[in-house]
Every structure is written in C-alpha cells, then in structure tokens.
Amino acid sequence: MNTGADSLFSKIARGEIPCARVLETDRALAFLDINPVNPGHVLLIPKEPYATVADLPDDLAAHLGSLLPRLCRAVKAVTGADGLNVIANNGPVAGQTIFHVHWHIIPRFQDDAVHWPWPHSPYAEGALQAMQARIAEAAATS
Ligand code: 5GP
C-alpha cells in the first residue's frame, strides 16, 4: 500500500529506493518524477510520512513551502520553461496515487501537449457568500 512508512516515497526518503535527488534538507527531499509530464518535472516531499497537505504540521508545511520558490527558479532556469504548474493532489479522487504528500513542480511550454485548465463555473446567487462564511469559520478553528 502506498501509504505511511511503507509508501514508495517513504522508502525513497529513507534511501531504500533510489531517486534522482535535486535538493535535500533534514526534513525534505526533492527529486525528479520518474514519469514526467515534461522533462524537469520535480517532486517535493517531507521525509516524514504524512498523507496529504491537511495532515501536515504547520512548521513542516512552512519548511516545504519555503523550498518551493528555489525549486521553481531552478526548474525554470534549467528547462527554459515558459511557466510552471505547482500542484499537490490530495486523495484518490484528486489524482493522488502515492499517499505520502508531495508537490509537483511541472515545467510548462507554450506548445506542450498538456491540457489545462480544468472547467470552472460561477456560484449560484448567494452561494459564494455562504461558502465564504462556512470556510472562514472552519479555517479559524481548525
Ligand atoms: P500523484 O499521482 O500521487 O500526485 O503523483 C505520483 C507521482 O509519482 C507520479 O507523477 C509518478 O510519475 C511519480 N512516481 C511514481 N513512481 C515513482 C518512482 O518510483 N520514482 C519517482 N521518482 N517518481 C515516481
């Protein structure tokens, strides 16, 4: 099962499975995705086995976030990308396949074959304000 200390990324973090490392700290590791969307696609993980962003302690999330600008600059400089997608899939329904939280740093090019964005639609009358109130209250207390 790709979760907890037995997940593929936990094994990579412990050095039990090799990876093409590009950046490492005491709490985090960044390496090349083995099946990149485009060459230069990097994954950033914590070394500890948290499944999703919501599970991360604030200080570890802050540490991981602090590494993103540097990784983005490096990927962009090396690949010559026109832009980047920086995303974390959370849960199977969102496309997560390895349940050890990770950020994708994906170089994007003007004429690449990637199809983005996903569909958007506006709120019904009053629904935006109702959603705002509910999430703001939950964010203040969770
Ligand atoms: P997810 O779908 O969970 O958001 O992303 C998992 C990512 O891990 C995929 O992009 C996939 O290509 C990558 N991946 C799967 N197995 C390996 C592996 O053994 N090594 C590396 N470096 N990446 C992997």
Side-chain angles (χ1 to χ4, degrees):
M1 184 66 172
N2 251 326
T3 190
D6 288 336
S7 80
L8 175 66
F9 288 173
S10 284
K11 290 176 181 164
I12 286 178
R14 290 196 297 270
E16 295 167 14
I17 291 177
C19 71
R21 179 180 321 178
V22 297
L23 183 69
E24 183 169 9
T25 70
D26 56 336
R27 304 185 77 187
L29 181 65
F31 52 94
L32 293 182
D33 191 299
I34 207 166
N35 279 312
V37 173
N38 281 317
H41 179 165
V42 164
L43 300 172
L44 171 64
I45 65 167
K47 290 184 175 177
E48 292 171 76
Y50 295 99
T52 70
V53 174
D55 300 311
L56 283 169
D58 288 356
D59 63 329
L60 182 53
H63 178 65
L64 292 160
S66 77
L67 301 174
L68 285 171
R70 197 181 341 164
L71 286 169
C72 287
R73 287 192 293 270
V75 170
K76 204 156 185 283
V78 169
T79 63
D82 301 308
L84 303 166
N85 288 114
V86 180
I87 59 169
N89 300 324
N90 286 250
V93 75
Q96 186 176 13
T97 57
I98 298 176
F99 301 99
H100 179 127
V101 64
H102 51 282
W103 276 263
H104 296 256
I105 297 121
I106 303 171
R108 296 296 310 278
F109 301 89
Q110 212 66 53
D111 298 317
D112 68 22
V114 182
H115 298 296
W116 187 269
W118 44 45
H120 297 259
S121 54
Y123 282 98
E125 180 77 29
L128 183 149
Q129 291 80 3
M131 186 62 76
Q132 176 192 10
R134 291 172 60 203
I135 294 181
E137 186 183 351
T141 56
S142 58

